[in-house]
Amino acid sequence: MVEPRRVELTEAQTSRASRTYWDGVAAEYLVEHGDFLGDDRFVWCPEGVDEEAAQLLGPVRGKRILEVGCGAAQCSRWLAGQGADVVAFDISIEQLRIAQELDVRTGTAVRTVAADAVALPYRDSTFDIVCSAFGALPFVADVGTAFHEIARVLKPGGLLVFSVTHPFRWTMPDDPSAAGLRITHSYFDRTPYVEVDASGTPVYAEHHRTTGDWIRELTGSGFVVDDLLEPEWPAGHRLIWGGWGPERGPLVPGTAIWTAHKGQTA
């Protein structure tokens, strides 16, 4: 791997980079974060917001739910345990293979497919709820297309809840220590963060959007924004995860959790 870059990528380049990255690190990611995520918990973010307590999705029993960018499907497995009719997708075949291992380990099987968030393999007006915990949406070049696809498969009035890196965090280095409390990038620079291999091929890509960008993309896709949760760092929480940690976490927001619903005429 060479030094990360800020360069523009096409949707196809972004998709290939995401598939390459997550296929390569899926097992390592589970080893590093598996204890925190659990096999069948719904954890929204490194701050530890847990759906069992937060109830951001409301009652889920009997609801048809789609998880976007499910990884190893921990969140979907929890939803299934609550009586939801849940399906999930991810761009990474290796993540889905690990999901099948967790299905066996927990005794709860989740229906998963390999798919890209900009081209969902589901029929119109299929789901009551769509959810995503740091899945897919930061890793597509055209999030408006992804939102239009989500709106298409949601029933009128259907709920969308998703978590992403807080836009303000993009101004700061990926350093959870006190040394990371400095502005190094323009908040208004939307150029994606890209890692490349020795040949210059992108192998990781994450796209930055301002808070206003997220609002415009949501409303432009027929959604009504209901809430924006910016979780505070819990007292005594010692987790270190990338740029998240107990030194910087109490001072600046690390996560944004958006809640929106599909308009009746969308």
Side-chain angles (χ1 to χ4, degrees):
M1 201 73 63
V2 299
E3 191 70 19
R5 305 175 181 178
R6 292 292 187 99
V7 295
E8 297 292 349
L9 294 184
T10 66
E11 193 68 69
Q13 288 174 313
T14 298
S15 292
R16 283 195 296 271
S18 292
R19 189 177 296 109
T20 297
Y21 179 80
W22 290 109
D23 278 348
V25 305
E28 177 187 343
Y29 183 84
L30 187 67
V31 169
E32 184 175 359
H33 302 297
D35 287 346
F36 178 70
L37 295 174
D39 293 343
D40 51 4
R41 292 180 61 205
F42 195 137
V43 182
W44 283 104
C45 53
E47 289 86 352
V49 178
D50 193 308
E51 178 59 18
E52 186 168 11
Q55 294 290 291
L56 301 181
L57 303 179
V60 298
R61 181 170 297 278
K63 299 288 181 66
R64 297 208 69 189
I65 301 179
L66 171 66
E67 184 183 3
V68 171
C70 66
Q74 290 96 333
C75 298
S76 286
R77 217 166 278 111
W78 181 85
L79 289 166
Q82 307 306 304
D85 178 12
V86 60
V87 298
F89 76 88
D90 199 273
I91 200 169
S92 167
I93 295 294
E94 185 62 16
Q95 285 276 41
L96 298 180
R97 185 193 67 77
I98 291 175
Q100 291 180 331
E101 292 180 356
L102 297 188
D103 285 349
V104 173
R105 192 155 82 192
T106 62
T108 301
V110 176
R111 290 168 292 166
T112 58
V113 298
D116 195 313
V118 298
L120 300 184
Y122 306 104
R123 293 176 179 165
D124 296 1
S125 301
T126 298
F127 299 101
D128 301 296
I129 299 171
V130 173
C131 61
S132 182
F134 281 85
L137 296 175
F139 307 107
V140 296
D142 184 0
V143 77
T145 296
F147 281 150
H148 274 95
E149 279 290 273
I150 291 171
R152 178 182 64 79
V153 302
L154 266 175
K155 298 174 183 177
L159 178 66
L160 167 63
V161 185
F162 65 95
S163 59
V164 293
T165 301
H166 195 286
F168 181 72
R169 273 283 310 282
W170 278 84
T171 67
M172 311 176 82
D174 199 26
D175 179 352
S177 72
L181 282 167
R182 54 195 175 96
I183 304 298
T184 57
H185 291 92
S186 169
Y187 174 78
F188 302 103
D189 181 5
R190 278 82 162 182
T191 311
Y193 169 92
V194 178
E195 295 176 2
V196 299
D197 62 17
S199 68
T201 301
V203 293
Y204 179 89
E206 189 169 353
H207 292 262
H208 167 52
R209 294 159 185 110
T210 68
T211 301
D213 292 340
W214 284 109
I215 291 173
R216 282 184 290 275
E217 296 288 6
L218 282 163
T219 58
S221 303
F223 285 98
V224 177
V225 177
D226 298 312
D227 196 9
L228 170 58
L229 176 63
E230 300 165 295
E232 296 187 41
W233 194 262
H237 188 39
R238 307 308 301 172
L239 178 74
I240 300 288
W241 185 331
W244 284 263
E247 287 191 70
R248 196 165 68 172
L251 301 175
V252 295
T255 298
I257 307 178
W258 292 89
T259 300
H261 68 273
K262 178 180 175 179
Q264 294 294 329
T265 58

